[in-house]
Amino acid sequence: MPTPENSSVKTASAILYSRVAIPNDFLSVDPSGRRWGGDIRIGDLTGNGEVDFLVYKSLGGMKPSFIGTFTMDGSPIWSVGDKDLTTPDTDSNDHHHTLSPDRPGPVALYDIDQDGQTEVICLYVNEDLQQGKPTSKWTMEGMDLLILDGKTGQVKCKASPDQLKGCSAYVDGDLHISNYAHHRLMIANFSGNRHPQDFVVKLGNDIIAFNHQLEILWQYQNKWYQYPKHSAYIPAVGDLDGDGRDEVNGGHFGLDHDGTVIWEKYLGDNMDAVLVEDWDGNPDDGKEAILSAGGQVLDANGFQLFKLGLEMIPHGQEIRCGNVFPNSTGLDMVIRYDGHTPNLMVVDNTGRVRTRFQVDESPNNTGLEIIRWNGDHQIELIYSPAALYDSRGRKAVTFPDLPPATGGKMGWYHCFPANVCGDAREEVILYDPYSDAVYIYTPAPFDPQVFSGYHHTSRQYNTRLID
C-alpha cells in the first residue's frame, strides 16, 4: 500500500488544554496496581455552561453498576453504586466482578424531558443485583431503565418493562455474543416534538423505542444476528424522509418513526457500522442511510444510491462522513475497509475513491472520527487513535503528553469531538477506559476569551465511539 508523503506537510502539535483526573473515589485498581476509571460520557451536568464528565463501570462488563460524575477540574459531583460489586455467575461456578465495560454501553447524557437540565439516561442494575443475586451477563434480567437528575443523581423516572427483561444474547437456545455485546442508547425524535425526547436501545436482537416517560413506543426484532451476516451492531437514528421525525438505520433494516419496516433485506457481510447523514447535500429531501457493508448509501426508502462493493470493502469495520475534501458537493466518506487494520479509504461525494492509506497502528485498530478542527464550514480532519490525518493520509496533528494506550480490546484512546474551551473549532477529548484521566486537546492559537459556552449536540450525546 502506498505510503502518504508526510514529508510534504507540516505536522502540528495540539495544545494540551487539560488533563482531567478522574476522582480517586471513582477509580478502581487492577491486580498489577494500575488505576482505572471506565467508560466516559460528556455533557453539562451542572448547568454552568461548561462540560462535565461521567464515568461508569459494569457488572461482568455488560451491566452498568457504578456511575460517578465530575467537573472539568476533577471535582466530584455525585456517584451511585458499588464499584466493587460482585455477584455469582449463573453460567459458571465463578463470579461477575465490576469491570470497565466490554464495549461503550447504554448510558447517555441529554435533557430528555426538556426542563433545561441534563439528565443521565441509562440501563442500571436493579436492587436484587445490587444485593448480590446471581445473574448472567448475557441477559437483561436484573436491569432497570433509569432517568437520573444530572445535578444530583436522584432518580427522576424508573421502569423495568417485561420487553426489556426479555432481551438476551440467545436465539433459539444459541448464544450470539458479537450481536449482543454492543449495547447503546441513542437519543431520537420519534414523537415529532420540537426537540428529541425519545430514545432507542439495541439489546441483542431487539430494538426498543421509548419516550421520555419510559413508555415503550414500539419494538422490532432483527432477523440478521449471525456473524458476519449481522445487522448493525449499533443502529443510527436521523430523519431520512424529511418529515421531522427520526428513522432507524440498522443496515439490513430500516424503521420508520413508528417502528414500521421501511426496508428489510440482506445487504452484505460485516454490517459493523451505519450512519444517517445528509450525503447528497440536499437537506430538503431528508438524509441518507450510510452502510459500512460494501460502502453503500441508501435513500429514505432503502433503495441503493451508491455502492463500492465487497471487493473494494471486504470488511467495513467503521464508516464516517464529513467535509474532508475542498469543494465537495456533499459529504465525503471515510471507511476502515479491511476489518481491524490501519487501512483507510476516502471517497468523495461522486463515488470516486480519492485515497487509500494507512494510519498508525493502535491496540484494536478502531476508533474512527471526523473532527471540525478548523472550525465550522472548513475542511475537516480524520481522527484515528491517536492523531489527526488529512484526506490524503498525511498526519496533520499529534497530541503531546498523551501516555501510551494500555492495549487490548478496549484499551485505546476513544474520542469525543466537542467545543469545550474556545472558539467554534472543535476540541478533541480523549480517554482510555483503563486509565485514570481524560485529556482535552485544542488547536492553536488558543483564545479562551472567545468561548461562548459548551453546546451539547448529537455529535456528543449520540457519539459513535466504537462499532
Side-chain angles (χ1 to χ4, degrees):
M1 177 172 296
T3 301
E5 297 178 1
N6 289 315
S7 59
S8 63
V9 65
K10 184 178 179 180
T11 302
S13 182
I15 297 171
L16 177 58
Y17 172 76
S18 181
R19 176 190 181 276
V20 183
I22 299 173
N24 284 331
D25 289 347
F26 301 168
L27 295 174
S28 299
V29 181
D30 69 14
S32 70
R34 180 177 61 195
R35 301 174 350 134
W36 58 271
D39 197 26
I40 298 289
R41 295 290 184 272
I42 67 172
D44 182 5
L45 294 168
T46 60
N48 67 353
E50 294 186 354
V51 72
D52 301 304
F53 299 89
L54 178 149
V55 63
Y56 75 97
K57 310 171 197 287
S58 294
L59 183 67
M62 290 297 295
K63 299 186 173 187
S65 55
F66 173 84
I67 295 174
T69 62
F70 54 104
T71 64
M72 192 150 56
D73 66 4
S75 299
I77 305 172
W78 53 263
S79 66
V80 294
D82 179 0
K83 62 187 178 69
D84 298 314
L85 177 66
T86 62
T87 65
D89 180 3
T90 57
D91 298 318
S92 72
N93 295 322
D94 205 348
H95 281 71
H96 292 303
H97 299 275
T98 300
L99 308 170
S100 187
D102 288 356
R103 303 288 197 286
V107 179
L109 273 60
Y110 178 73
D111 181 8
I112 193 72
D113 58 11
Q114 289 299 301
D115 66 347
Q117 301 294 327
T118 298
E119 283 82 42
V120 177
I121 310 101
C122 64
L123 291 171
Y124 194 78
V125 293
N126 68 8
E127 292 182 2
D128 286 342
L129 295 194
Q130 292 170 33
Q131 294 171 7
K133 180 180 177 180
T135 189
S136 168
K137 70 184 290 183
W138 305 123
T139 75
M140 278 291 110
E141 288 185 344
M143 300 301 290
D144 289 330
L145 191 54
L146 301 181
I147 298 176
L148 305 177
D149 186 293
K151 283 186 175 181
T152 67
Q154 296 296 309
V155 176
K156 298 181 72 171
C157 195
K158 180 170 77 170
S160 185
D162 291 338
Q163 295 93 325
L164 175 69
K165 292 186 288 187
C167 297
S168 77
Y170 293 92
V171 182
D172 296 329
D174 294 327
L175 190 64
H176 295 275
I177 292 175
S178 60
N179 182 53
Y180 187 75
H182 301 78
H183 291 175
R184 196 65 60 85
L185 192 155
M186 309 295 289
I187 307 299
N189 188 351
F190 299 129
S191 301
N193 297 332
R194 181 179 179 185
H195 300 286
Q197 286 190 265
D198 311 306
F199 63 92
V200 64
V201 292
K202 181 263 186 185
L203 302 167
N205 241 19
D206 293 278
I207 313 293
I208 310 178
F210 294 85
N211 65 17
H212 67 282
Q213 296 175 322
L214 302 186
E215 299 168 329
I216 292 179
L217 300 175
W218 48 261
Q219 183 174 8
Y220 170 79
Q221 194 158 69
N222 166 42
K223 292 180 171 61
W224 290 276
Y225 49 83
Q226 293 180 315
Y227 184 87
K229 300 184 182 301
H230 52 82
S231 294
Y233 287 140
I234 305 165
V237 297
D239 187 1
L240 288 171
D241 56 13
D243 69 348
R245 304 187 185 208
D246 285 339
E247 283 70 49
V248 176
N249 172 18
H252 299 319
F253 62 84
L255 307 176
D256 209 345
H257 64 269
D258 59 0
T260 302
V261 174
I262 305 172
W263 75 85
E264 203 173 50
K265 52 189 174 182
Y266 177 72
L267 293 170
D269 284 0
N270 301 117
M271 189 69 74
D272 289 12
V274 295
L275 304 168
V276 175
E277 299 281 0
D278 183 16
W279 168 257
D280 61 7
N282 180 13
D284 294 335
D285 65 357
K287 298 180 180 180
E288 285 72 44
I290 317 293
L291 317 180
S292 70
Q296 302 179 61
V297 179
L298 310 181
D299 70 8
N301 297 308
F303 295 118
Q304 188 181 96
L305 301 175
F306 168 78
K307 181 179 181 179
L308 292 171
L310 293 177
E311 289 188 0
M312 295 182 66
I313 314 293
H315 184 150
Q317 183 69 35
E318 295 177 285
I319 191 165
R320 298 291 182 270
C321 290
N323 299 118
V324 298
F325 290 119
N327 305 317
S328 284
T329 57
L331 295 179
D332 309 303
M333 183 185 295
V334 184
I335 312 176
R336 195 180 300 269
Y337 64 89
D338 195 18
H340 290 273
T341 70
N343 301 334
L344 298 187
M345 177 185 296
V346 189
V347 183
D348 68 19
N349 191 254
T350 69
R352 180 162 64 104
V353 177
R354 296 279 291 270
T355 53
R356 294 182 180 88
F357 57 87
Q358 288 187 332
V359 293
D360 289 345
E361 286 272 2
S362 61
N364 197 42
N365 285 318
T366 48
L368 192 63
E369 190 52 83
I370 298 294
I371 309 295
R372 295 169 183 166
W373 191 252
N374 299 307
D376 293 338
H377 312 299
Q378 302 297 318
I379 296 301
E380 297 166 349
L381 297 178
I382 301 163
Y383 172 82
S384 185
L388 299 183
Y389 298 82
D390 68 13
S391 60
R392 294 177 60 184
R394 300 176 299 191
K395 189 180 293 185
V397 179
T398 59
F399 303 114
D401 302 317
L402 188 67
T406 54
K409 186 70 175 178
M410 291 296 295
W412 45 271
Y413 280 103
H414 303 247
C415 174
F416 288 100
N419 180 15
V420 300
C421 64
D423 53 27
R425 298 175 298 174
E426 283 184 336
E427 277 70 51
V428 169
I429 301 176
L430 301 180
Y431 74 95
D432 177 342
Y434 298 102
S435 75
D436 60 357
V438 178
Y439 296 81
I440 304 175
Y441 289 92
T442 191
F446 170 57
D447 182 2
Q449 300 302 316
V450 298
F451 181 52
S452 61
Y454 170 71
H455 299 282
H456 200 49
T457 74
S458 61
R459 283 172 62 77
Q460 291 79 47
Y461 59 75
N462 280 348
T463 186
R464 302 306 297 176
L465 292 174
I466 179 176
D467 299 310

